């Protein structure tokens, strides 16, 4: 699976990014993948490669490029409970500095770059994200309704911007929530907002999961939750981007 590090021109400089795609000499539908707060690292590259293996060009930008290339902070190989607090203490200022305005400016640049790559097919793209990346995926889909055909977010604060933001989405949606992140009552309220917005969606709590369940380099990892994530992500991409096996 070919992969490379790229630099994406943005309004504030150059964002480094990881890209991977099938080695078939063809053009493939584009997927913009937003990492969780820990950023680009081996597990994210592995997930991007797995997705690319199903017929997609996957672009994973460094969200915090304004603070340096990935990894922006030094990360342990395994992010266990004993180091989690210290890692988050270093990450939170970066997350807080990543304002909605910066998110939308970057999203414009990322999509412009993605859709002009020679390996990317013409047509709509999809956006997926994890943790804070899930919120960024939602914001990107809302800001680019004619271009983003699918948005999928996992253990992310997808409703943080309120129902008006969800109403801007025209993409097909899948939200996979951690059981520790969302009560059934909160899920009902979120889904009511999606219904009111007329969004085509699935939105569910993955049983027995905690925040971060897709990430195998953390102690939140849940293999069944990760499988459930693929079981939802691949079909929505196939339906909306019309990939043929």
């Amino acid at each position: 699976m070919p992969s490379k590090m790229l630099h994406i021109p943005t309004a504030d400089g150059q964002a480094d990014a990881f890209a991977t795609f099938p080695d078939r000499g063809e053009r493939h539908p584009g997927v913009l993948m937003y990492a969780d707060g820990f950023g680009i690292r081996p597990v994210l590259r592995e997930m991007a490669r797995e997705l690319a293996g199903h017929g997609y060009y996957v672009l994973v930008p460094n969200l915090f490029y304004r603070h340096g290339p990935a990894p922006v902070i030094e990360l342990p190989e395994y992010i266990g409970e004993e180091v989690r607090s210290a890692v988050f203490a270093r990450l939170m200022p970066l997350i807080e500095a990543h304002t909605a305005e910066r998110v939308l400016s970057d999203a414009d640049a990322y999509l412009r770059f993605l859709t002009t790559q020679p390996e990317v097919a013409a047509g709509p793209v999809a956006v997926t994200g994890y943790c804070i990346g899930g919120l960024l995926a939602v914001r990107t889909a809302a800001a680019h309704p004619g271009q983003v055909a699918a948005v999928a977010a996992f253990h992310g604060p997808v409703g943080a911007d309120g129902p008006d933001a969800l109403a801007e989405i025209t993409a097909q949606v899948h939200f996979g929530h951690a059981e520790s992140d969302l009560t059934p009552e909160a899920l009902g309220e979120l889904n009511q907002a999606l219904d009111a917005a007329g969004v085509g969606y699935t939105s569910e709590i993955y049983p027995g999961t905690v925040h971060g369940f897709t990430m195998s380099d953390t102690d939140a990892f849940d293999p069944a939750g990760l499988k459930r994530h693929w079981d939802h992500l691949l079909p929505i991409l196939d339906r909306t981007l019309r990939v043929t096996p």
Side-chain angles (χ1 to χ4, degrees):
M1 193 73 59
S3 59
K4 53 188 174 182
M5 291 301 296
L6 302 168
H7 288 88
I8 303 172
T10 75
D12 292 329
Q14 298 269 329
D16 51 309
F18 176 76
T20 182
F21 48 91
D23 186 15
R24 300 177 192 159
E26 303 168 353
R27 300 174 75 193
H28 310 280
V31 179
L32 175 60
M33 177 184 283
Y34 285 117
D36 59 2
F38 297 129
I40 301 173
R41 59 197 193 282
V43 68
L44 258 295
R45 294 187 182 95
E46 179 183 330
M47 292 173 73
R49 288 190 184 100
E50 182 162 351
L51 180 55
H54 292 274
Y56 301 97
Y57 182 108
V58 184
L59 181 68
V60 189
N62 171 18
L63 306 181
F64 307 128
Y65 69 89
R66 292 174 180 85
H67 305 274
V72 179
I73 70 166
E74 186 177 349
L75 290 171
E77 187 174 327
Y78 184 79
I79 307 168
E81 192 60 38
E82 69 282 359
V83 299
R84 193 178 186 91
S85 294
V87 170
F88 262 106
R90 298 186 65 192
L91 281 174
M92 283 311 297
L94 309 186
I95 294 172
E96 290 167 356
H98 201 51
T99 62
E101 291 76 17
R102 285 183 170 183
V103 170
L104 295 181
S105 175
D106 287 348
D108 291 346
Y110 298 157
L111 290 179
R112 184 165 54 248
F113 182 87
L114 174 63
T115 55
T116 55
Q117 295 310 291
E119 302 90 355
V120 174
V125 300
V127 185
T128 186
Y130 304 90
C131 184
I132 188 64
L135 175 58
L136 273 53
V138 169
R139 288 175 172 171
T140 301
H144 297 269
Q147 190 172 21
V148 176
V151 57
F154 302 92
H155 48 82
V158 293
D161 292 339
D164 288 347
L166 297 174
E168 300 298 317
I169 295 174
T170 60
Q172 293 291 305
V173 170
H174 176 71
F175 293 152
H177 310 284
E179 195 172 80
S180 66
D181 282 347
L182 207 63
T183 65
E185 294 75 20
L187 175 66
E189 292 174 4
L190 173 64
N191 291 353
Q192 284 177 9
L194 291 166
D195 285 331
V199 175
Y201 74 94
T202 54
S203 172
E204 63 185 58
I205 294 171
Y206 287 16
T209 58
V210 298
H211 182 74
F213 63 82
T214 58
M215 298 296 154
S216 61
D217 61 350
T218 76
D219 49 14
F221 178 57
D222 182 87
L226 178 62
K227 181 180 184 302
R228 195 181 187 101
H229 141 280
W230 288 119
D231 288 346
H232 282 288
L233 178 59
L234 295 175
I236 193 174
L237 298 184
D238 185 57
R239 288 196 307 272
T240 56
L241 302 185
R242 295 179 174 84
V243 172
T244 55

